Amino acid sequence: MAEAIAAAAATSLSVKPSNRHSQLFLSSTSFPIIRLNSLKNPNFRPLVVSSTSIDSAATQKTSSKTSFLDQREGSRYLHFVKYHGLGNDFILVDNRDSSEPKITPEQAAKLCDRNFGIGADGVIFALPGINGTDYTMRIFNSDGSEPEMCGNGVRCFARFIAELENLHVKKLSFSVHTGAGLIVPEIQEDGQVKVDMGEPVLKAADVPTKLAANKNDAVVKSELVVDGVTWNVTCVSMGNPHCVTFGIKGGQDLQVDALNLAQIGPKFEHHEVFPARTNTEFVQVYSPSHLKMRVWERGAGATLACGTGACATVVAAVLEGRAGRNCMVDLPGGPLEIEWREEDNHVYMTGPAEMVHGKLFQLLLCFETRAVPDPVYVKSLLVSPEIDNEGRLPRKYRGEGQGAKKNLSPPVEWYNVPEGTKSPALVVQDLDISDPDGPNVPWPHWVVVNIPPHVKRLPEGFSGKEEEFGGEYALIKEGVNGWKLPGWRGPVLPKHGRRFEFKLYALDDESHLGNKVTKEKLEEAVQGHVLGEAVLKCRF
């Protein structure tokens, strides 16, 4: 099995101390840590950090090959990586050793929460194949419901399997069992994924819909009253139900960008004529080969893309005489190529699927999984997009020396701060600086207070430019560092490998520290006001 898992979460709070200099989130109590690795490493190897306490003085090196997979104990770790198809994003779970998903629908909904979880439109499980297929795919939506299939999800699934199995060939296809039947994705030479989505189901009772059939057994350009407005709709199933509309009865052509999707979408989804609820596609026709669509997905709401919805859209457009059988369908996340072949009646979808990557996702995701029925709990996290896979901060943030940019402050981002936080505060310090009068002591390089609660990041080069950045940034106050100078002061390093700590305090009140803010004054003032802490460690 290829080393293709990007992160892990432990179900126990008793985990061995960690093993690698990396970005850490620590608290006064030991708890598990996971890290989502970026594609800077072409071998797609996992970097996993376990837990330690806030008093831990050092970390130790170990092999990246054994620090993760070889420490697994039963279902103790949840292995996952995040993919997206045109912005429709999913958490992919390696579930090939079990025929049952490793987390419950309720836990999946927690993980999908974009404020208190990892954030996704759904969780997809790669399970063993059945009935002669290579694999089985199951998916839990962000609300915990389970759809039959997902077009964008199956493209992500295909790329995930290729990484898991280390299958790197020019063209690759395999069979997947889904709730909608057999699906056969094929990874093309250019990395796009072409999927044989099978035949569309048009019989009204099988979509299913209670609307009366008006064209053979199908519902084509039928009238549907939603919130007092009559829409023309065509109903199609691509293994999951779709209601496709090009506009209201007697109205002008639909302008999809003008729609209030959050208002109208749920009324279609839960309409009484759809006993299994429905996905709804609102479509604008540019030409017989070019359509634009926005979607309200059953169980997920408005998403950036829907593969089965794009397929259903082209089928409906053909049935209504609005388009040909080969179309480009523009979605908010990008285009999909859809072909409804006349010779075999199958619909073929071609589009991208990518692992979520880039500097933003070189971060720690910390959550503990408690015994059912308790859901997944996600803890706060603190990251810097500039820290590389080895946990190093680049030289340009130093005070002087090769590559230095003279006290350019590094970017810092934070997520999932505790509810009730009114004013985060940040302290950055060198843990290894020598004190001539005693043992090593943390040396402050940056103190930042009175950060507005809606601010979630300090951009690169922020220090000394509060007024220039403007808005809420202008309210932030910088304290003095160990040199008794305001703002960020990068280190002058006698040697490489010095440990740096970024600590974010989530406070229940603003810090009133006078004109001269110091680390010592802040640490004294926050007593009794700390709702939570997040710590990020790196090396210069």
Side-chain angles (χ1 to χ4, degrees):
M1 169 178 164
E3 298 173 79
I5 311 300
T11 58
S12 168
L13 295 183
S14 177
V15 184
K16 293 181 180 179
S18 186
N19 336 344
R20 189 173 179 112
H21 301 312
S22 188
Q23 306 171 36
L24 298 180
F25 170 167
L26 310 175
S27 78
S28 57
T29 305
S30 295
F31 60 86
I33 306 247
I34 59 177
R35 173 176 180 170
L36 184 60
N37 192 22
S38 82
L39 278 183
K40 282 187 176 180
N41 184 341
N43 295 323
F44 193 45
R45 290 183 178 179
L47 293 180
V48 176
V49 184
S50 300
S51 65
T52 182
S53 74
I54 198 167
D55 299 321
S56 176
T59 53
Q60 300 173 350
K61 291 185 177 180
T62 190
S63 168
S64 63
K65 293 185 178 180
T66 59
S67 64
F68 174 54
L69 296 177
D70 293 349
Q71 291 183 10
R72 183 172 57 174
E73 298 176 11
S75 60
R76 190 176 177 191
Y77 293 95
L78 177 69
H79 300 224
F80 74 90
V81 66
K82 205 174 170 194
Y83 279 78
H84 78 90
L86 299 179
N88 197 190
D89 57 341
F90 304 95
I91 298 164
L92 277 294
V93 177
D94 180 14
N95 213 123
R96 293 171 298 163
D97 57 356
S98 172
S99 59
E100 288 297 321
K102 293 187 176 182
I103 61 173
T104 66
E106 294 78 15
Q107 290 174 326
K110 283 287 184 181
L111 288 178
C112 290
D113 190 294
R114 296 190 185 277
N115 292 310
F116 300 101
I118 295 166
D121 291 321
V123 181
I124 295 175
F125 304 89
L127 300 102
I130 59 176
N131 299 329
T133 59
D134 297 314
Y135 304 97
T136 296
M137 169 181 150
R138 289 182 65 182
I139 177 172
F140 292 151
N141 283 325
S142 57
D143 69 350
S145 62
E146 182 173 5
E148 298 83 354
M149 210 272 291
C150 172
N152 285 315
V154 78
R155 296 200 314 277
C156 295
F157 182 93
R159 292 293 298 270
F160 182 53
I161 290 296
E163 293 289 356
L164 284 177
E165 302 285 13
N166 199 23
L167 302 173
H168 300 291
V169 295
K170 287 188 176 181
K171 275 196 174 185
L172 171 68
S173 66
F174 39 82
S175 57
V176 181
H177 174 78
T178 73
L182 176 66
I183 299 293
V184 182
E186 181 182 272
I187 301 177
Q188 308 290 292
E189 291 186 31
D190 62 359
Q192 297 269 93
V193 182
K194 184 175 184 177
V195 185
D196 179 354
M197 301 289 286
E199 298 186 59
V201 175
L202 302 177
K203 187 177 180 180
D206 295 336
V207 170
T209 178
K210 295 178 182 179
L211 286 171
N214 60 355
K215 187 174 181 180
N216 298 325
D217 290 328
V219 174
V220 179
K221 206 173 182 181
S222 183
E223 295 181 6
L224 175 65
V225 178
V226 179
D227 201 25
V229 178
T230 302
W231 296 75
N232 291 326
V233 301
T234 294
C235 297
V236 179
S237 173
M238 293 302 308
N240 54 354
H242 292 269
C243 172
V244 183
T245 179
F246 296 86
I248 62 176
K249 181 182 178 181
Q252 296 179 339
D253 291 340
L254 201 57
Q255 301 296 311
V256 296
D257 288 336
L259 287 172
N260 186 338
L261 209 57
Q263 182 181 58
I264 190 65
K267 295 174 182 178
F268 275 85
E269 178 185 355
H270 298 280
H271 200 287
E272 62 183 2
V273 300
F274 302 114
R277 296 190 291 163
T278 189
N279 304 280
T280 309
E281 287 73 37
F282 301 88
V283 189
Q284 183 174 343
V285 179
Y286 286 147
S287 76
S289 61
H290 190 186
L291 310 174
K292 182 176 183 178
M293 181 265 279
R294 291 180 67 194
V295 61
W296 181 268
E297 288 198 53
R298 178 186 60 167
T303 62
L304 295 177
C306 176
T308 56
C311 294
T313 291
V314 172
V315 171
V318 171
L319 293 174
E320 293 194 20
R322 298 176 182 271
R325 289 178 172 265
N326 284 276
C327 288
M328 180 75 72
V329 181
D330 288 344
L331 304 139
L336 286 174
E337 297 176 26
I338 307 296
E339 178 187 6
W340 184 16
R341 287 187 189 167
E342 196 163 7
E343 54 266 33
D344 62 6
N345 199 38
H346 283 219
V347 180
Y348 294 84
M349 170 188 63
T350 303
E354 302 175 8
M355 188 179 77
V356 174
H357 66 283
K359 292 182 178 179
L360 175 60
F361 288 94
Q362 294 173 21
L363 52 80
L364 305 177
L365 301 174
C366 314
F367 67 90
E368 55 182 280
T369 342
R370 300 182 179 179
V372 176
D374 287 343
V376 174
Y377 292 86
V378 180
K379 296 184 180 292
S380 304
L381 50 102
L382 175 66
V383 306
S384 176
E386 282 297 309
I387 295 177
D388 68 16
N389 289 340
E390 300 299 323
R392 295 180 299 228
L393 195 61
R395 298 180 181 183
K396 63 181 179 179
Y397 301 113
R398 291 168 51 180
E400 62 181 55
Q402 183 180 8
K405 293 190 176 180
K406 290 303 286 185
N407 302 315
L408 176 75
S409 61
V412 187
E413 302 170 3
W414 50 92
Y415 305 87
N416 303 334
V417 295
E419 185 176 353
T421 297
K422 293 183 179 179
S423 176
L426 177 71
V427 174
V428 182
Q429 51 192 357
D430 186 337
L431 301 180
D432 292 328
I433 196 166
S434 297
D435 180 356
D437 299 323
N440 287 356
V441 295
W443 180 268
H445 286 264
W446 202 15
V447 180
V448 188
V449 299
N450 292 344
I451 302 172
H454 300 298
V455 171
K456 303 300 183 186
R457 61 189 293 267
L458 297 181
E460 181 181 72
F462 168 78
S463 181
K465 298 181 180 179
E466 295 91 336
E467 296 295 333
E468 183 177 322
F469 277 92
E472 289 192 298
Y473 285 109
L475 304 174
I476 297 173
K477 184 177 179 60
E478 293 185 276
V480 298
N481 49 48
W483 290 271
K484 304 187 185 307
L485 297 171
W488 164 267
R489 173 62 64 124
V492 178
L493 300 179
K495 63 179 180 178
H496 295 293
R498 295 258 285 277
R499 293 176 304 145
F500 265 62
E501 177 188 80
F502 293 70
K503 180 182 286 187
L504 185 78
Y505 297 96
L507 306 177
D508 64 5
D509 198 0
E510 291 187 0
S511 304
H512 303 284
L513 302 176
N515 293 328
K516 188 176 180 180
V517 178
T518 65
K519 181 190 79 167
E520 291 74 20
K521 288 175 70 174
L522 174 64
E523 290 178 342
E524 181 179 351
V526 301
Q527 298 299 319
H529 295 283
V530 179
L531 299 176
E533 298 178 1
V535 176
L536 168 66
K537 288 185 180 178
C538 64
R539 288 185 177 264
F540 248 114

